[in-house]
């Protein structure tokens, strides 16, 4: 079930191999620090933390921090701690998200809440956030601490915004962008910005990486929104159609609902608001999205934000790290091809 999302024909598959290679040595140290800082005498804490940490995510956000620091010649140790803090913040939000969304699967494995329960998942997420802040303090950069702590607050606001708008089919596109900017893009932005901050780069360079991360995060989330209706479980790290079954109002739903007939809007209300979201409903939803161009236009919006991210880096000096960061944009969007 699903649609084939290939808008521009066959191209060389985009890759983040250069980013992985450039950050490999530092990521080795990040992974060691992750294991160390996820440890606790409370047995359940490392069990739950390691369940999610070892579940096969690409660790894209910490790699952004490392590459952005390298890009401006940073030679200290702080980027490893900040990258680890970024990954802990991301992991904590996943633990919390799965509880709020009542998700059963994460990256092909049972979510922590399905194994240990909601309470344990929330509390271990809080523990990881605490460890993240300890590492930020150890780095000794008040500006980096301000950027990441602000991101943590914005992410929490985004969660509440999403909860308040749950199942609301009258959500506008602007309102949806406000949610994903807070929930997803804020951490991408902070992860990219703290690298040049600790490298003492210029204000313009910091702003460039901040803009790059924000727009990359928006593109990344919009592609996730599209993939839920036309991707694969391997691409998503969850079941295809989970957003539909959970009644999430994402951009493809917003566009299909607004462009639909009165009868079609009645279908969406029954599926999303009344929780009548079975496999037959999913198939119909995908058909309506295809008819109204909702998935294609969601991908188009993602490409737009990807170009803004690319332009943010354009004035910066050519380096292997800059090239690798541009590859990340192409990789994020190419997941739909």
């Amino acid at each position: 079930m699903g649609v084939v999302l290939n808008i521009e024909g066959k191209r060389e598959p985009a890759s983040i191999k250069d980013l992985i290679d450039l950050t490999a040595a530092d990521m080795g140290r990040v992974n060691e620090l992750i294991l160390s800082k996820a440890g606790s005498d409370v047995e359940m804490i490392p069990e739950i933390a390691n369940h999610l940490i070892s579940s096969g995510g690409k660790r894209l956000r910490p790699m952004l921090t490392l590459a952005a620091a390298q890009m401006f010649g940073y030679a200290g140790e702080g980027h490893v701690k900040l990258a680890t803090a970024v990954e802990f913040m991301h992991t904590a939000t996943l633990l919390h998200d799965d509880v709020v969304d009542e998700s059963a699967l994460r990256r092909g494995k049972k979510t922590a809440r399905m194994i240990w329960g909601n309470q344990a998942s929330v509390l271990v997420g809080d523990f990881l956030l605490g460890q993240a802040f300890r590492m930020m303090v150890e780095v000794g950069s008040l500006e980096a601490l301000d950027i990441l702590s602000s991101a943590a607050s914005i992410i929490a606001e985004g969660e509440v915004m999403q909860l308040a708008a749950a199942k609301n089919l009258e959500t506008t596109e602007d309102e949806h962008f406000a949610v994903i900017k807070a929930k997803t893009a804020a951490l991408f932005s902070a992860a990219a910005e703290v690298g040049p901050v600790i490298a003492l780069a210029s204000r313009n360079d910091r702003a460039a990486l901040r803009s790059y991360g924000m727009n990359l995060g928006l593109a990344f989330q919009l592609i996730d929104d599209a993939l839920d209706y036309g991707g694969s479980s391997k691409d998503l790290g969850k079941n295809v159609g989970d957003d539909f079954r959970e009644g999430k109002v994402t951009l493809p739903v917003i566009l299909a609902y607004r462009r639909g007939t009165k009868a079609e809007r009645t279908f969406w209300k029954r599926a999303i608001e009344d929780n009548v979201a079975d496999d037959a409903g999913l198939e119909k939803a995908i058909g309506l999205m295809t008819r109204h161009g909702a998935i294609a236009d969601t991908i188009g919006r993602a490409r737009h934000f990807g170009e803004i991210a690319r332009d943010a880096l354009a004035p910066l000096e050519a380096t292997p790290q800059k090239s690798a960061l541009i590859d990340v944009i192409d990789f994020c969007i190419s997941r739909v091809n």
Side-chain angles (χ1 to χ4, degrees), residues 3-52:
V3 292
V4 177
L5 301 176
N6 189 347
I7 293 192
E8 296 180 347
K10 288 191 175 180
R11 300 168 57 183
E12 283 296 309
S15 167
I16 55 170
K17 182 181 184 301
D18 287 349
L19 180 70
I20 292 169
D21 290 346
L22 285 167
T23 60
D26 286 338
M27 276 305 297
R29 294 158 66 200
V30 167
N31 289 330
E32 289 175 7
L33 194 55
I34 284 172
L35 292 174
S36 167
K37 296 294 185 180
S40 169
D41 292 336
V42 180
E43 188 176 330
M44 194 181 289
I45 289 176
E47 280 183 9
I48 294 176
N50 290 332
H51 172 80
L52 192 52

Side-chain angles (χ1 to χ4, degrees), residues 9 80 198 222 244:
V80 171
I198 60 169
L222 288 173
F244 179 72

